[in-house]
Amino acid sequence: MSAEASHVMNKAELQGARRLGFDDMPELVEACLPALNRGRSIAVLAADGSGLELLYALAVSRACQAGGGIGAILLTSTKARAARCAAAVNAFDSDGGSRGRVWPPPGKSSLVPPPGTMALTGRASEILPAVRAGRVRLSDLRLLIIDGTEAIEQAGDWSSVAALLATLDAGTIKIVSCLGPGSLLSDLLTNQLSRAYRWPPELFDEARPEPTKGASRLWYGAAPGLEERLDLLAAALEDTRTGATVFCTDATTAAEVVRGLAARGIAPGSEPDTPTVQVTLEPAVASAAPVAVVFGLPMDLESLTSRLEGANRRIAVVTTRHLGQLLLHARRAGWPTRALPAMAARPDLDPVERFRALVREELQRVDPAAELLLLEPLLEEHGTVPVAAALASLLRRRSAGSATVKQWPDMEADSGLSVEPLPSGDGERGTRSAWTKIYVAVGRRDGAKANDLVGAITGETGIVGGQIGKIEIRNSFTLVDIDSQVVDEVISGLDGSSIKGRTVSVRLDREK
């Protein structure tokens, strides 16, 4: 770590960072640490490979105090992601006893935390029932982390996140990571993170940088396994028909690249013990523009641009886990991006041209990084080609009406990995229930805010904040989602009460 890091991280934290493999401070953490030290909330456009896990670990460790109850909750899109975050936080604070203990650890499926637990991680729809049942109390909560808003929304979990947000004390620190701007992020910045530190600032600016006109594009490829990435690299180099410089993350990786390219009929040269590989292809084009390749994700934007700036053909090959951060780097650099041509599929897997056209159209529309977060465990187990073939089969069967593809939460529940149900004295009260929308005759023109509605509902009826869902404040009225099991109690208790000095009427919403 640099000397500057020692001014914002204590000795134990520096040691924890090294246990996570960070000998140098990531750009993200260096930028966010001053805000974290001042107790500010943070919103970042970042993904795996940026140092997010170090930022989370620092924040959780500081929020958790021995004997202080559950001080932090880390919400993720999948169980695999939750386990990875828990492992990182626990490893970071391994010298701190139970101070930063995160539950559940990898391999556990129950969200009934044992005594001494200082933090929870998992999907919001798993944690919310525990809050409603009173098994998890938020009175000591100092930190809420939302890891990957897009992936959580695609997993069908955002309504549970919104319900948890509605229960938080105004002083709770929030750290939110996103892959890009959008309506969900805009809503969070307006209602939850208005005073949060935002990084990188250029991507939060309303005049966000567009790809530089006339700039050389960044060609990218991503695969989970080393051999698949070497296949992508070899195909990209052959397509250039000229020499190239391949920048690797370290000398060990460079040696793997030399071996892999040689096995694929490309004879690279490399200086001993350096992370740079020089590749010359025959017939070489003497006047060809320089080609630069990064194999593996550099830790920060400066490292990426220093390797690729000035090349007329830029190529990056990374793991699927790091694709989102690579694309964010490219946006900050002003480089247009395009995926490398896919490797040819086996003839027996080759679909009809109409299906190919459909897939090509989807490739242009979809955000690959967000989708890959859900597919990541499958890609690591089986590789990209078999997974692509399986998805193609599912899509064609679904189009023909012969199969139904379930939503992600249902698929995960059927997998046998779902969270064990929590015991509750209120029958089904500890399980996630449907929401019912109510109409409250107070709105924006009366100065009403979400906290006013939450305070009035919980104060007049005695229900807990976790039973209050989405709050839509309009000009003259407000629509509130309420746990269906207590909606009658809320209507009778709130009707005729006073909110912002106005006596309000409350009823079931009649909007269709």
Side-chain angles (χ1 to χ4, degrees):
M1 286 282 179
S2 63
E4 290 78 10
S6 62
H7 296 303
V8 289
M9 294 171 64
N10 60 40
K11 183 178 179 180
E13 290 172 341
L14 290 171
Q15 292 173 342
R18 293 190 180 97
R19 282 194 294 272
L20 293 182
F22 294 99
D23 291 325
D24 297 313
M25 184 180 290
E27 178 187 17
L28 163 70
V29 178
E30 185 173 15
C32 293
L33 261 176
L36 189 63
N37 289 337
R38 292 195 296 270
R40 289 182 63 184
S41 292
I42 298 170
V44 296
L45 297 181
D48 263 359
S50 64
L52 269 179
E53 61 269 43
L54 177 56
L55 179 64
Y56 294 166
L58 273 166
V60 170
S61 182
R62 293 181 180 189
C64 295
Q65 301 172 5
I70 293 176
I73 291 178
L74 199 164
L75 302 177
T76 63
S77 57
T78 66
K79 292 182 184 349
R81 178 63 178 163
R84 193 156 56 246
C85 289
V89 175
N90 286 333
F92 174 85
D93 200 38
S94 64
D95 290 343
S98 64
R99 181 166 58 91
R101 183 195 297 166
V102 179
W103 187 267
K108 296 289 185 180
S109 61
S110 173
L111 263 178
V112 182
T117 297
M118 298 292 116
L120 292 178
T121 182
R123 295 178 57 199
S125 56
E126 298 170 344
I127 294 175
L128 182 58
V131 174
R132 288 179 172 175
R135 300 300 298 266
V136 171
R137 301 188 181 278
L138 303 185
S139 56
D140 298 312
L141 192 73
R142 289 171 287 280
L143 171 69
L144 178 74
I145 298 174
I146 304 176
D147 174 64
T149 58
E150 298 91 344
I152 291 175
E153 184 179 36
Q154 290 181 17
D157 233 25
W158 192 255
S159 62
S160 296
V161 174
L164 284 170
L165 284 170
T167 70
L168 298 185
D169 182 88
T172 305
I173 298 172
K174 306 174 190 73
I175 298 178
V176 177
S177 69
C178 309
L179 286 173
S183 58
L184 194 62
L185 177 60
S186 297
D187 182 64
L188 284 171
L189 291 175
T190 300
N191 298 313
Q192 299 285 342
L193 301 167
S194 59
R195 299 173 63 85
Y197 173 72
R198 305 174 186 187
W199 186 89
E202 64 268 29
L203 294 186
F204 279 97
D205 193 333
E206 290 186 3
R208 289 183 290 271
E210 295 295 331
T212 305
K213 186 176 182 180
S216 176
R217 73 174 72 248
L218 174 67
W219 293 86
Y220 66 85
L226 175 62
E227 294 304 317
E228 289 178 296
R229 295 197 296 277
L230 289 171
D231 284 337
L232 287 173
L233 175 61
L237 291 177
E238 288 179 346
D239 187 52
T240 67
R241 304 313 305 161
T242 185
T245 302
V246 182
F247 298 96
C248 303
T249 53
D250 52 57
T252 301
T253 303
E256 290 288 351
V257 167
V258 171
R259 174 199 60 77
L261 292 181
R264 289 160 176 79
I266 300 175
S270 178
E271 297 180 13
D273 302 323
T274 71
T276 304
V277 179
Q278 300 294 335
V279 181
T280 301
L281 297 172
E282 297 294 345
V285 181
S287 61
V291 176
V293 184
V294 291
F295 191 83
L297 181 70
M299 182 58 70
D300 51 55
L301 178 62
E302 182 180 358
S303 298
L304 180 69
T305 55
S306 67
R307 289 159 172 78
L308 299 184
E309 198 69 65
N312 283 3
R313 184 170 174 84
R314 305 184 181 106
I315 301 171
V317 178
V318 297
T319 66
T320 50
R321 189 176 295 174
H322 290 163
L323 177 57
Q325 189 60 35
L326 173 70
L327 297 179
L328 283 169
H329 282 330
R331 284 176 51 203
R332 293 177 65 197
W335 298 340
T337 58
R338 187 166 181 178
L340 290 167
M343 292 181 295
R346 299 197 326 262
D348 60 310
L349 294 181
D350 192 22
V352 296
E353 187 57 38
R354 184 174 61 181
F355 183 75
R356 285 178 176 175
L358 176 66
V359 174
R360 289 191 186 101
E361 180 181 345
E362 190 69 8
L363 284 169
Q364 298 301 317
R365 186 194 66 81
V366 76
D367 178 354
E371 296 294 342
L372 285 172
L373 283 172
L374 301 182
L375 294 175
E376 184 181 301
L378 292 173
L379 295 173
E380 291 178 346
E381 292 170 16
H382 303 286
T384 53
V385 173
V387 170
L391 291 175
S393 176
L394 277 175
L395 179 58
R396 289 188 289 114
R397 286 161 49 202
R398 186 185 188 190
S399 299
S402 60
T404 301
V405 179
K406 296 183 178 181
Q407 294 297 316
W408 181 262
D410 297 326
M411 293 166 62
E412 193 168 45
D414 289 347
S415 69
L417 298 176
S418 56
V419 172
E420 298 168 7
L422 291 168
S424 170
D426 297 324
E428 295 184 356
R429 187 165 178 146
T431 63
R432 184 181 180 185
S433 61
W435 299 103
T436 297
K437 198 178 296 292
I438 65 171
Y439 170 99
V440 185
V442 64
R444 192 179 299 111
R445 70 183 182 187
D446 304 302
K449 298 180 180 179
N451 287 342
D452 299 320
L453 273 296
V454 172
I457 294 171
T458 56
E460 296 291 340
T461 66
I463 72 169
V464 298
Q467 292 170 298
I468 304 171
K470 184 177 181 181
I471 299 176
E472 302 174 58
I473 300 179
R474 302 188 182 180
N475 190 42
S476 59
F477 63 93
T478 298
L479 300 177
V480 184
D481 285 342
I482 300 293
D483 185 334
S484 297
Q485 298 173 70
V486 296
V487 68
D488 293 336
E489 175 186 342
V490 169
I491 291 175
S492 62
L494 194 62
D495 189 39
S497 66
S498 177
I499 301 178
K500 301 298 288 187
R502 177 185 177 90
T503 301
V504 299
S505 61
V506 184
R507 58 171 168 77
L508 290 174
D509 176 46
R510 300 192 185 101
E511 284 192 356
K512 302 296 182 184

